[in-house]
Amino acid sequence: MDVIILFKTALIIVILLLSLVIAMYATLVERKIAGFFQDRLGPNRAGIFGILQPVADGVKLFFKEEFMPATADKFLYVLGPSLTMLIALLGSAVIPWGNTLVIGNNVFPLQVADVNIGILYVFAVTSIGVYGIMIGGWSSNNKYALMGAVRSASQMISYELAMGMSIIAIVMMSGTLSLKDIVAQQHGLHWNVWYQPIGFFVFVISAFAECNRTPFDLPECDSELIGGYHTEYSSMKLGFYLFSEYINMFISSAIISSLYFGGYNFPFMHELGLSHNWLTIAGTIAFFIKISFFIFLFMWVRWTLPRFRYDQLMRFGWKVLLPWAIINIVATGIIELVKH
Amino acid sequence: MNQDLNKIKLTDRSQVVSNKKMTLLEKFYLPAIFKGLYVTFTHLFRKKTTIQFPEVKRPVSSIYRGMHVLKRDEEGRERCTACGLCALSCPAEAITMVAKERLESEKHLYREEKYAAVYEINMLRCIYCGDCETACPKEAIFLTDRFVPSEEARDNFIYGKDKLLEPIDARIDVSKRQTPEVLAFKKDKTQLHNK
Ligand code: SF4
Ligand code: SF4
């Protein structure tokens, strides 16, 4: 049993580091891709192809002046970004990063915690995310920051609803709340996206809104809010807020891939004739390719679509996404009834 | 007014605004979004317009108006006679100078009896119009294709003779600026300073 605990600890550390490194480089990739989309080259001065750029950005953020408004609530002011960062990282615990590794007599699952309510856990964690933003905006004691936080909170809550609804259809189909089982059921090419296209669209759109990504990046609106909920933040505290957005993006991509695109499953995985362990490793690689694609999609959409207006955003969430999610549930219910 | 004026467009991409009701398909927005995604995707592979500055320099026209130079004559003497015409013609009032009389022992240094002991151009005021160059009767000041380098303090942008005067052993070529039109203009005796 001890070996398993040791392995899990190692896995936690690896996943944490991986999330951080991927988020770090996602910032560079985002800037590069933004450049390419606009026929520019993007940052390429720090190191070859600019690979030291995230390091330079980090160092810059650390050395910037640490400023705290005199009227801010000191404790909450620091708590805000820390909470956001912590919550962003928490989501990674229930994602099955791969199948199992068999070494000797021990079976090591590539998942930190296979809780049987995995999806609910993800929802619980992401919905706390709103506290980080809300606390940050509130404790800054600044109208703009507060308005940004309120906008952000209402947006996140509205879209969480549609997101939850789209998941219910998946739960109805698979009959389980455990992410591991949901992924295992999508063996080979039986990906949920084929059976749940509407749910998939609703989920992806809500995920964009949850991550505060364009076209739903209302919390950060320079022209109206001077930066939104993090107006008063500087140096690494601001860095935490911005950085957690990239971690959120990574975790969201992982969740989208595991819910709708079969997680570590890939087509013809058993025709390859690989041994179990190698298959697991190949599956993990496939998983990361899927994740990369979705991270790219996040950026692709960001540099294509303009930002919603606040009322449009609300109307879209409540009057379009939510009804579609409910229709999807009803339709899934009928199909499941007919099938059995 | 000419009727055709209404038809003039700034670009050929403009579209007539319409408020027609959207069809059901259009109301889904997704086709339009995918189209947009396709457009941005093609830009990923377009030729990039970035010019990587220190390594690659953007070509400038041969008569580009950049940083000034104070010319010397063939014998290495300063041409400027501190007449003040350049300062007078400068619309930005960027030029300041202090004139001084040449001593007998300084004949090898200055071409005329009078010379500019101090000659300063404030590069932040200058609008690089080139009027000083046109005004100068002694062919002493020219604009060149060099850039004014960036600085951190405003004071450093006041260029004195130390920065403006061309070194004897590294003369600065301004022949490209002597276009036939310029030369004809300089010979034009109806211009006051050419007399
Ligand atoms: S270029 Fe024009 S603005 Fe500049 S110093 Fe000469 S006359 Fe003045
Ligand atoms: S116009 Fe020419 S000669 Fe006269 S002060 Fe200016 S640079 Fe010197």
Side-chain angles (χ1 to χ4, degrees):
Chain A
M1 221 50 269
D2 288 347
V3 195
I4 295 277
I5 291 170
L6 215 63
F7 176 78
K8 292 255 160 154
T9 318
L11 192 65
I12 290 172
I13 293 169
V14 168
I15 288 172
L16 276 186
L17 288 181
L18 209 64
S19 309
L20 292 177
V21 170
I22 287 181
M24 212 166 115
Y25 276 92
T27 61
L28 173 65
V29 171
E30 167 115 55
R31 291 173 66 182
K32 275 291 207 194
I33 284 184
F36 288 159
F37 277 138
Q38 298 167 351
D39 299 340
R40 297 184 284 114
L41 281 177
N44 62 355
R45 292 286 139 165
I48 32 163
F49 306 121
I51 48 169
L52 293 179
Q53 189 69 41
V55 184
D57 289 344
V59 170
K60 187 185 92 178
L61 280 173
F62 271 115
F63 281 97
K64 276 202 155 182
E65 187 189 355
E66 184 87 55
F67 177 81
M68 195 185 282
T71 50
D73 184 320
K74 301 274 179 311
F75 175 69
L76 291 181
Y77 184 81
V78 179
L79 182 68
S82 330
L83 201 64
T84 311
M85 192 74 172
L86 179 76
I87 291 161
L89 286 167
L90 271 180
S92 61
V94 291
I95 296 169
W97 301 98
N99 206 339
T100 50
L101 286 175
V102 182
I103 301 164
N105 289 329
N106 293 313
V107 179
F108 301 106
L110 284 177
Q111 184 183 18
V112 175
D114 175 25
V115 281
N116 52 12
I117 48 152
I119 294 187
L120 293 188
Y121 170 84
V122 170
F123 272 85
V125 168
T126 46
S127 47
I128 315 174
V130 76
Y131 282 92
I133 289 177
M134 207 55 217
I135 288 174
W138 170 257
S139 66
S140 302
N141 211 344
N142 166 322
K143 286 189 204 92
Y144 294 109
L146 182 63
M147 301 243 271
V150 169
R151 264 161 69 143
S152 167
S154 51
Q155 166 188 328
M156 286 175 99
I157 291 167
S158 311
Y159 281 79
E160 210 143 276
L161 230 68
M163 199 178 196
M165 291 288 193
S166 60
I167 287 296
I168 289 181
I170 290 236
V171 175
M172 283 162 73
M173 268 181 59
S174 54
T176 171
L177 283 167
S178 153
L179 269 174
K180 189 183 173 195
D181 294 347
I182 290 177
V183 171
Q185 282 175 9
Q186 305 176 50
H187 200 73
L189 249 182
H190 296 284
W191 295 353
N192 278 335
V193 64
W194 313 131
Y195 311 111
Q196 286 286 339
I198 300 175
F200 166 69
F201 274 113
V202 174
F203 189 85
V204 169
I205 294 169
S206 317
F208 274 62
E210 284 283 294
C211 292
N212 292 332
R213 294 287 296 185
T214 332
F216 307 99
D217 60 344
L218 281 182
E220 311 156 24
C221 188
D222 295 344
S223 49
E224 299 148 50
L225 295 173
I226 329 177
Y229 64 91
H230 53 51
T231 303
E232 295 288 1
Y233 281 87
S234 60
S235 100
M236 207 55 201
K237 288 208 223 51
L238 173 69
F240 264 37
Y241 270 132
L242 302 183
F243 198 57
S244 62
E245 178 181 322
Y246 285 88
I247 298 176
N248 272 331
M249 211 160 80
F250 170 58
I251 304 290
S252 299
S253 303
I255 290 171
I256 295 173
S257 320
S258 29
L259 283 181
Y260 289 95
F261 282 82
Y264 53 76
N265 292 299
F266 55 95
F268 314 114
M269 52 196 293
H270 285 287
E271 277 84 77
L272 287 176
L274 290 170
S275 69
H276 180 78
N277 279 354
W278 283 113
L279 201 60
T280 301
I281 290 168
T284 305
I285 292 169
F287 189 42
F288 273 93
I289 291 172
K290 290 173 195 173
I291 293 175
S292 315
F293 171 76
F294 279 104
I295 293 180
F296 174 71
L297 184 73
F298 269 97
M299 295 171 180
W300 189 4
V301 170
R302 171 167 179 187
W303 297 102
T304 304
L305 298 181
R307 177 184 292 142
F308 274 108
R309 216 170 52 207
Y310 184 66
D311 59 322
Q312 291 171 333
L313 176 100
M314 280 295 150
R315 183 157 4 107
F316 184 65
W318 288 94
K319 290 191 174 169
V320 180
L321 276 191
L322 195 60
W324 274 106
I326 294 172
I327 291 171
N328 189 36
I329 292 177
V330 174
T332 313
I334 293 170
I335 292 170
E336 290 294 310
L337 262 182
V338 171
K339 272 210 305 211
H340 296 294
Chain B
M1 268 273 164
N2 193 334
Q3 280 290 304
D4 287 344
L5 266 186
N6 293 330
K7 291 179 195 146
I8 290 180
K9 289 174 178 174
L10 286 177
T11 65
D12 53 1
R13 286 175 295 179
S14 60
Q15 287 191 357
V16 181
V17 179
S18 98
N19 278 334
K20 77 171 171 59
K21 277 249 181 295
M22 283 192 282
T23 61
L24 187 67
L25 190 68
E26 280 172 342
K27 273 192 186 158
F28 271 102
Y29 289 109
L30 283 175
I33 288 175
F34 287 131
K35 210 168 126 195
L37 287 176
Y38 170 75
V39 170
T40 40
F41 194 69
T42 57
H43 276 266
L44 273 186
F45 310 104
R46 293 262 177 93
K47 198 172 164 294
K48 310 297 176 219
T49 52
T50 309
I51 296 167
Q52 310 229 32
F53 172 59
E55 296 96 55
V56 185
K57 291 213 170 65
R58 209 171 145 207
V60 294
S61 108
S62 57
I63 52 161
Y64 180 83
R65 296 196 293 251
M67 188 175 134
H68 312 62
V69 62
L70 278 176
K71 293 294 287 179
R72 295 172 184 275
D73 69 358
E74 307 73 40
E75 293 161 39
R77 298 175 297 184
E78 290 176 22
R79 301 185 77 123
C80 175
T81 183
C83 66
L85 278 174
C86 53
L88 192 68
S89 71
C90 175
E93 301 192 354
I95 304 178
T96 330
M97 77 192 67
V98 175
K100 223 174 171 183
E101 207 171 326
R102 176 183 73 178
L103 300 177
E104 198 60 31
S105 60
E106 289 173 338
K107 273 194 167 159
H108 63 291
L109 290 178
Y110 310 110
R111 199 154 97 139
E112 315 282 339
E113 305 87 86
K114 199 166 72 145
Y115 69 95
V118 177
Y119 191 106
E120 283 177 352
I121 301 182
N122 185 337
M123 291 296 180
L124 288 178
R125 300 202 62 158
C126 175
I127 56 169
Y128 305 94
C129 60
D131 280 3
C132 46
E133 174 185 322
T134 313
C136 181
K138 299 290 175 190
E139 309 268 287
I141 189 160
F142 286 95
L143 272 65
T144 64
D145 56 359
R146 298 174 298 167
F147 297 120
V148 176
S150 55
E151 297 277 359
E152 282 170 2
R154 280 168 171 268
D155 285 354
N156 297 343
F157 280 106
I158 297 173
Y159 279 27
K161 269 170 85 173
D162 53 329
K163 286 181 181 163
L164 293 171
L165 198 63
E166 67 176 344
I168 297 186
D169 48 355
R171 306 292 283 263
I172 286 151
D173 181 24
V174 291
S175 55
K176 281 195 201 121
R177 299 192 57 74
Q178 307 286 54
T179 56
E181 292 79 17
V182 172
L183 290 175
F185 180 79
K186 296 246 167 181
K187 289 204 184 81
D188 182 1
K189 291 296 173 201
T190 59
Q191 295 288 329
L192 192 65
H193 64 259
N194 285 347
K195 280 182 185 155

